[in-house]
Amino acid sequence: MTAEFSVGDIPFSRAGSWLGLSPVLSATRRADDVHVVSHRHGLHPVLTLVPERDGHRAATDVSADPAVLTWSSPDGRITAAFPDAGTLRITGTGLGMSIVATEPVLTPFTGPYFFADPAGAAVFTFYETGNRLRLTLLSGQWTYLGEQELGSARRGVTVGADGGPWEVALEEITTGAPAYASTVDFPGAAASARDDFTAFADAVAPWRDSSTPAAELACYVLWSATVAPAGFLARPAVLMSKHWMNKVWSWDHCFTALALAPGAPELAWNQYQLPFDHQDGQGALPDSVTHAEVLRNFVKPPIHGWALAHLRGRLPDGLPDPALAYRQLAAWTSFWLDHRRAPGQRLPYYEHGNDSGWDNATVFAGERLVVTADLAAFLVLQLKELAALAPAVGDTPTDWERRADTLLAALLAELWDGSAFRSRTVRTGTSQGGSSLLDLMPIVLGEHLPRAVFERLCARVAEHLTPIGLATELPSSPYYEPDGYWRGPVWAPVTVLVEDGLRRGGATDLADEVSSRFRRTCEEHGFAENFDAFTGAGLRDHAYTWTAGAYLLLSEAAQQREGTRKAACGPAAPR
């Protein structure tokens, strides 16, 4: 197993678990110690894990691989592993550990409550997460801290203070559960996690080799960010991160679904379906879904027809339910065409940058209600996908094809000025140009664009290409910011969409450059939410699953192209 990582960048967890181990406590706060973090009802660092020696905090080096998290020092060693999704095992020798509640105290009566279970376990209850964590001593000695105290008292246990060997099991429970019974020793617990991850990586990225050095870690990011069904997430869900971006947003899920499709088709289909489980009566998808909330203040861009077209080809047995997918996609398309077109207008609009997924892009720097070329382009692809699906459910594709052609004609007539796509404000009808890559996203139409338009877009896309990848704001723009979110940094979803459009349109050399530069960035800088377009530094959340998914998608395709090239060249001549 080669996927080693820092828990300061990527949380230590296991597929199915709602817990993770990390010092990252929020978007702006990182602790000195590793915490047990719960992702139910938000992000809550519920327990602090403090290595100790002779009653004092011990300086340790912390390292991790997909199976084991390790604290080490010259005095001893502590290791942790998830034998299953609901249990964390921690063992140590030479070093002890204080395991104490860290949840903030809202009032003297709502802080974490800690008590000694009469059966011998120690139990933490948390108002914020709505559940309990039970700690069972499997070997060694422990002492209680602040038992049954309220308010701000330090509460928990110190285990292994005598320097001898010890082991505990930490479980997520509700109001009650049978006493913990260990069925495997610690090496067996670690082996369980290792075997599960290895099987996942072998299924999702069987093509990985030395030319794709980040593939195994990308698989770990996806595997470890997966949670079991709970709350509003009625299916196994790959969260966007087990840092603070611990939701499923209604376009992020498409990229994880595509990455998973060949090797984990059931999980992939579940990812695609998660937002559609909450599709409303007008056909709209929510902005995001998580354990405890469904947000509808915004939506996300309709890339789902594009994604579904690729899923049809990537899922080994095709779509599990084409009729369902057809009805969902038709309703989602109708939402935009029925509810997001101003009276008498042919093109739909976004109500805010958040609807586009490009929250603060310069296209939305003035008025927020804007008709953009990317939105129309995505809907053209969505209408074409509905035409492709229609025969399978007994419908005729003709109407969908006609509507796609009509919308594409309107896009070209109203927003193409002969050299670039422009956007248009809804309230005043003002046409506006700019230097955001968002205006170039109709490249995703690929082969459906007139040749002259496609070639001009290719030239404009190339202007955004830095050594790191596609800058979301032209680097020469006065609005460019190295850490400007959608005003400069390189993002995974844009990379995948643009690369696909370029390749389908025949601009393979440029597509190869877009792909290779982004893959190299991931290999050198990890799987951050986005990257500085010139230094490659990972920005914001450093364990983002759509970035890992994009790396896997692009790497798999590159491996296939290389295999095709080698096959065409034939065997090497003997020397």
Side-chain angles (χ1 to χ4, degrees):
M1 184 176 295
T2 59
E4 297 180 352
F5 57 92
S6 165
V7 291
D9 291 326
I10 300 172
F12 179 74
S13 190
R14 176 173 177 157
S17 180
W18 283 87
L19 300 176
L21 272 62
S22 174
V24 177
L25 308 186
S26 72
T28 57
R29 182 182 170 207
R30 180 176 294 201
D32 293 330
D33 295 308
V34 173
H35 286 62
V36 176
V37 179
S38 171
H39 294 279
R40 298 182 191 269
H41 295 268
L43 180 147
H44 298 284
V46 290
L47 298 177
T48 308
L49 306 179
V50 185
E52 295 183 348
R53 174 74 175 178
D54 298 327
H56 300 284
R57 181 189 302 271
T60 58
D61 293 322
V62 181
S63 60
D65 66 35
V68 175
L69 174 66
T70 302
W71 295 259
S72 59
S73 80
D75 296 315
R77 178 184 177 94
I78 299 171
T79 49
F82 285 91
D84 55 64
T87 309
L88 175 69
R89 296 270 287 271
I90 311 175
T91 186
T93 185
L95 293 174
M97 176 171 277
S98 283
I99 302 172
V100 294
T102 55
E103 194 63 27
V105 178
L106 304 180
T107 75
F109 309 105
T110 59
Y113 175 53
F114 172 66
F115 64 93
D117 186 299
V123 179
F124 301 87
T125 72
F126 299 97
Y127 178 84
E128 289 78 8
T129 66
N131 72 342
R132 304 168 180 225
L133 293 178
R134 183 175 68 183
L135 199 60
T136 300
L137 183 66
L138 302 182
S139 65
Q141 299 177 1
W142 69 9
T143 57
Y144 290 93
L145 306 170
E147 183 187 349
Q148 299 192 48
E149 292 288 341
L150 295 176
S152 58
R154 189 169 187 250
R155 62 209 100 167
V157 302
T158 294
V159 59
D162 61 352
W166 57 270
E167 185 172 352
V168 296
L170 182 70
E171 305 166 89
E172 274 200 298
I173 64 172
T174 54
T175 52
Y180 182 74
S182 176
T183 58
V184 295
D185 58 11
F186 187 86
S192 170
R194 181 175 291 107
D195 292 347
D196 191 65
F197 169 69
T198 300
F200 177 87
D202 287 346
V204 171
W207 38 263
R208 66 192 190 281
D209 60 23
S210 60
S211 69
T212 57
E216 192 159 314
L217 188 57
C219 288
Y220 176 76
V221 170
L222 290 169
W223 177 79
S224 64
T226 304
V227 293
F232 287 112
L233 294 171
R235 305 165 184 267
V238 179
L239 303 179
M240 292 309 103
S241 173
K242 278 186 179 170
H243 286 321
W244 63 91
M245 301 292 281
N246 57 348
K247 298 183 179 184
V248 175
W249 276 268
S250 292
W251 70 315
D252 308 44
H253 70 114
C254 291
F255 301 95
T256 55
L258 289 170
L260 293 167
E266 183 177 359
L267 183 60
W269 183 243
N270 281 327
Q271 300 325 294
Y272 182 81
Q273 284 295 313
L274 280 163
F276 285 100
D277 289 340
H278 300 278
Q279 192 168 24
D280 71 14
Q282 286 72 48
L285 299 182
D287 181 70
S288 63
V289 184
T290 191
H291 174 271
E293 66 179 17
V294 179
L295 295 185
R296 299 189 184 276
N297 50 336
F298 299 105
V299 290
K300 282 293 173 276
I303 67 165
H304 302 81
W306 168 86
L308 198 62
H310 285 287
L311 274 177
R312 281 194 291 117
R314 289 181 62 77
L315 289 167
D317 298 318
L319 300 181
D321 192 339
L324 174 66
Y326 178 75
R327 292 193 301 271
Q328 291 169 334
L329 197 64
W332 179 219
T333 306
S334 295
F335 163 76
W336 289 98
L337 299 181
D338 294 344
H339 300 283
R340 288 292 181 86
R341 286 198 287 196
Q345 297 297 308
R346 296 189 294 173
L347 296 176
Y349 61 87
Y350 292 126
E351 290 182 346
H352 189 279
N354 290 0
D355 283 347
S356 74
W358 295 52
D359 309 0
N360 68 329
T362 50
V363 171
F364 306 98
E367 294 186 30
R368 298 293 188 269
L369 274 67
V370 182
V371 174
T372 64
D374 72 303
L375 175 54
F378 292 142
L379 287 169
V380 169
L381 292 180
Q382 203 138 290
L383 290 162
K384 289 184 175 294
E385 178 61 11
L386 285 165
L389 290 172
V393 296
D395 281 355
T396 174
T398 307
D399 182 58
W400 297 118
E401 291 169 347
R402 178 188 58 78
R403 295 174 73 181
D405 292 343
T406 299
L407 190 61
L408 177 56
L411 167 63
L412 294 168
E414 297 185 23
L415 299 185
W416 179 253
D417 69 2
S419 62
F421 282 105
R422 302 174 66 84
S423 58
R424 186 177 68 232
T425 64
V426 174
R427 184 174 63 86
T428 63
T430 303
S431 176
Q432 54 185 28
S435 50
S436 173
L437 186 61
L438 183 65
D439 288 327
L440 308 182
M441 289 308 293
I443 196 72
V444 75
L445 287 166
E447 72 276 21
H448 304 297
L449 285 170
R451 198 66 204 168
V453 174
F454 179 79
E455 290 176 355
R456 179 58 184 155
L457 284 179
C458 288
R460 293 286 303 279
V461 166
E463 294 173 2
H464 285 257
L465 191 58
T466 74
I468 302 304
L470 291 168
T472 44
E473 181 77 15
L474 198 65
S476 60
S477 163
Y479 300 105
Y480 176 86
E481 300 175 43
D483 187 10
Y485 221 51
W486 292 96
R487 295 188 178 192
V490 173
W491 287 77
V494 174
T495 302
V496 171
L497 289 162
V498 169
E499 194 268 357
D500 178 64
L502 290 170
R503 198 169 298 282
R504 290 186 0 257
T508 54
D509 289 345
L510 182 54
D512 287 345
E513 279 299 310
V514 169
S515 172
S516 64
R517 294 186 193 193
F518 183 81
R519 286 183 282 120
R520 185 171 61 248
T521 296
C522 292
E523 290 162 2
E524 295 176 357
H525 299 283
F527 302 107
E529 186 179 354
N530 52 74
F531 302 92
D532 184 301
F534 286 95
T535 69
L539 304 173
R540 311 301 172 108
D541 195 312
H542 281 207
Y544 217 73
T545 53
W546 75 0
T547 309
Y551 177 81
L552 292 172
L553 280 169
L554 296 172
S555 296
E556 177 191 7
Q559 291 286 80
Q560 290 173 346
R561 290 193 298 274
E562 179 63 13
T564 301
R565 186 193 67 80
K566 288 181 177 178
C569 291
R575 295 190 177 187

